[in-house]
Each structure stands twice: as C-alpha cells, then as structure tokens.
Amino acid sequence: MRYLIVILFFAVIGIPKAEDYVLEFQAKVKNLRTFNISNSEQFRSYDLEGTFTDNYGNYGKTRAIIISDIKNGKLVRLDATSENIYSNNEKTYLRGVREKSDIDAGIAYNIVIGASKNFTPLIGMKCTTSVRYFDDAIFGLQKCNTNEGMIKVLKNTQ
C-alpha cells in the first residue's frame, strides 16, 4: 500500500500543470449582409473589427469573418475565421464554430489553425469563447488550454 501511495504522489507531481490563456476582446460589426430565405430562416454574413488584451499583458487588433444560419429566431450554426495581430506584429489565425444558441450570446469553440513564424507553437491551441452582443458591438472572453511551450511564446511577445 505504501508503494502505491508513493507512486500516486510522484505521478501527480509529475503531471505538467498548464496555465489558461485568457484573451478579452471587443469588436464592431461591419458589412452585415442578410438573406431572408423564408419567414423562419435567415443567413447572415459579417465582418468584425476590434481590439484585444490578454492575461500576459499583450494587446492588439482582431478581425473576423462570420457566417451564420438562423431558424425561428435561434442560431443554428455560426462559423468564424479570425486573425489576431499582436502589438509586435505576430499573428494567429483561429477557426471556430457555435451551434444552437441564442443569437445575441453564446459559447463557441475555436482552434488556432495558423500563425506567424514566432507564434507557430500556438498552432493547435484549443479555446472556448463566450460572446455577448449589444447592437453592433460584441464583447467576448476567450479561454484557451495551453502547454509550457505556448505559455513561453505568449509571455515573450513584448
């Protein structure tokens, strides 16, 4: 029994602890296009332009292209591709999806699909994003799972 406790202790100590990466953003809706397919169905396409800050002191600009399907006043599916440009001109590209939620708020799941040279270790980082809309403004919070290599990159961007 003693050996089992010792093995479990070292197993728990040996598990790497990754920090969460938290990014807060605000954006304005640009170029909204809507197709009223029927009385109950709608297609929307729009661009977002905004800014962000994160829990490591980084900041920058964000842009996104969004397409969504709405049925009976509810979001059926939303697909997004976004670009984050950090103050040191490094970039990340994310692809995300949000399904079956209210139009003006919801949770999306994103993954970093591309990055500039120094940010390539961030490719594959998975994030959960929550958003709220107010007229043409969007407020969001993104929480990402990281590993030590990703944290090192994010802490050394300045």
Side-chain angles (χ1 to χ4, degrees), residues 94-107:
L94 292 92
R95 176 114 351 113
V97 65
R98 181 164 64 114
E99 296 180 311
K100 298 179 182 169
S101 66
D102 290 330
I103 296 170
D104 63 348
I107 304 293

Side-chain angles (χ1 to χ4, degrees), residues 70-95:
I70 300 161
K71 188 170 187 174
N72 296 322
K74 293 283 187 181
L75 180 72
V76 176
R77 184 174 173 92
L78 178 144
D79 290 301
T81 302
S82 63
E83 174 186 59
N84 289 342
I85 305 169
Y86 288 72
S87 61
N88 64 353
N89 287 316
E90 291 291 338
K91 297 177 183 179
T92 58
Y93 297 91
L94 292 92
R95 176 114 351 113

